[in-house]
Amino acid sequence: MASDQPERAAAPLALVLLGSPGSGKGTQSKYIVEWLGIPQISTGDMLRDHIRRGTEIGLSIAARMKAGTLVPDELVNALVADRISWPDCKKGFILDGYPRTTAQAQEMMRLLTGIGAEEVVIHLVVDYNVIIARMQGRRVCPKCGTLYNAVSRPPQTEGICDLDGEKLVIRDDDRADVVRERLEQYEERTSPVIDFFRADGRRVFEVDASRERPEAVFARIRALLETVPGFSGKEVLV
Ligand code: ADP
């Protein structure tokens, strides 16, 4: 539609999804990818990929990931710095699971300034008990990474991926003791990131992600983005 309009270099959109483990960042990212055609940058997925491939990075972080503790800031900062320089990030990208510490948030702001990106920060707010229930029912396809949930998104056949027929598994760090550790890490190290953004004069949009189905939460994220001054989904879509 806009291809014959004069080029207007819109600033890349950096959509930052904050929220505790189990808040639905990954699921919402997938909807946004489909809507805007910008890539999802999930530091968790990138780190798991290193582990799967047995890289030096993978070997250095495997124990921490398995225990549900955060991996060093410098490492994720470097991964993100590289990833956002890829051509597919020109119009924007979604940061899912990053930043997770105030040091990462500071570095993120520096990186975004460097590429002229404008951030929109969305905090998916979920009740603690809802998170525990969700994470206990979570299963993942080891082949394609699709997430399922016994309660909110069951596969058509129990225990089997709808897309490729693989047997679903529980991610190592979705086991009960590890979930507790991940939630503690979130409280201690990641929730201050929200205050960091506010103290820095940045707006944090809060979206209640406890009660409604994922599609309804997405509808609210979409409506909210459409109210952000200067944001027009069209700019990202063209
Ligand atoms: P969730 O958000 O459900 O906890 P993720 O897939 O985002 O799951 O992250 C899984 C694990 O990867 C974390 O527990 C942590 O060990 C590591 N990790 C992911 N992103 C970061 C990050 N930005 N900083 C440090 N560690 C991270």
Side-chain angles (χ1 to χ4, degrees):
M1 159 190 91
S3 56
D4 52 355
Q5 285 178 359
E7 277 288 305
R8 180 162 96 64
L13 167 72
L15 197 50
V16 183
L17 288 186
L18 298 177
S20 86
S23 59
K25 299 185 298 290
T27 306
Q28 294 304 323
S29 296
K30 301 272 188 286
Y31 284 114
I32 299 166
V33 166
E34 223 169 274
W35 173 39
L36 295 177
I38 56 176
Q40 169 193 15
I41 300 181
S42 157
T43 44
D45 285 349
M46 289 163 91
L47 296 168
R48 275 186 292 278
D49 187 52
H50 273 281
I51 293 179
R52 227 177 349 254
R53 289 188 286 124
T55 65
E56 206 173 307
I57 289 180
L59 293 172
S60 75
I61 58 172
R64 278 173 187 263
M65 293 270 295
K66 204 162 174 201
T69 51
L70 297 184
V71 312
D73 290 333
E74 307 73 55
L75 197 152
V76 271
N77 285 338
L79 289 177
V80 171
D82 172 65
R83 182 64 185 86
I84 63 175
S85 72
W86 293 16
D88 65 341
C89 290
K90 259 212 164 85
K91 286 177 180 163
F93 44 85
I94 303 158
L95 291 174
D96 160 14
Y98 177 91
R100 256 186 164 85
T101 63
T102 48
Q104 290 179 22
Q106 267 161 338
E107 178 60 8
M108 182 198 84
M109 292 313 303
R110 208 183 61 80
L111 291 171
L112 297 189
T113 305
I115 58 168
E118 281 170 18
E119 87 289 342
V120 174
V121 183
I122 297 180
H123 176 203
L124 298 179
V125 185
V126 184
D127 181 79
Y128 186 85
N129 292 323
V130 173
I131 286 181
I132 299 282
R134 274 187 196 170
M135 291 181 75
Q136 279 167 353
R138 196 146 93 155
R139 298 290 180 275
V140 63
C141 171
K143 195 166 166 198
C144 68
T146 302
L147 283 175
Y148 294 90
N149 193 290
V151 186
S152 57
R153 196 190 168 208
Q156 278 160 12
T157 311
E158 199 188 321
I160 303 293
C161 179
D162 292 345
L163 304 181
D164 52 29
E166 280 284 312
K167 201 159 181 272
L168 302 178
V169 298
I170 302 180
R171 225 169 70 181
D172 269 353
D173 60 355
D174 274 346
R175 292 171 201 285
D177 51 332
V178 184
V179 164
R180 224 169 297 123
E181 176 62 25
R182 284 163 66 202
L183 291 173
E184 265 175 45
Q185 293 266 312
Y186 180 80
E187 268 318 306
E188 270 169 38
R189 306 195 55 196
T190 308
S191 58
V193 168
I194 294 162
D195 300 326
F196 167 86
F197 282 125
R198 292 213 174 102
D200 200 35
R202 316 215 164 241
R203 194 154 164 204
V204 176
F205 293 97
E206 308 249 308
V207 172
D208 177 353
S210 274
R211 286 167 304 174
E212 292 172 319
R213 296 189 57 76
E215 310 85 69
V217 174
F218 169 61
R220 287 200 287 122
I221 291 179
R222 187 178 168 141
L224 185 151
L225 278 170
E226 284 167 347
T227 68
V228 172
F231 172 83
S232 146
K234 278 182 261 131
E235 280 167 11
V236 182
L237 285 166
V238 293

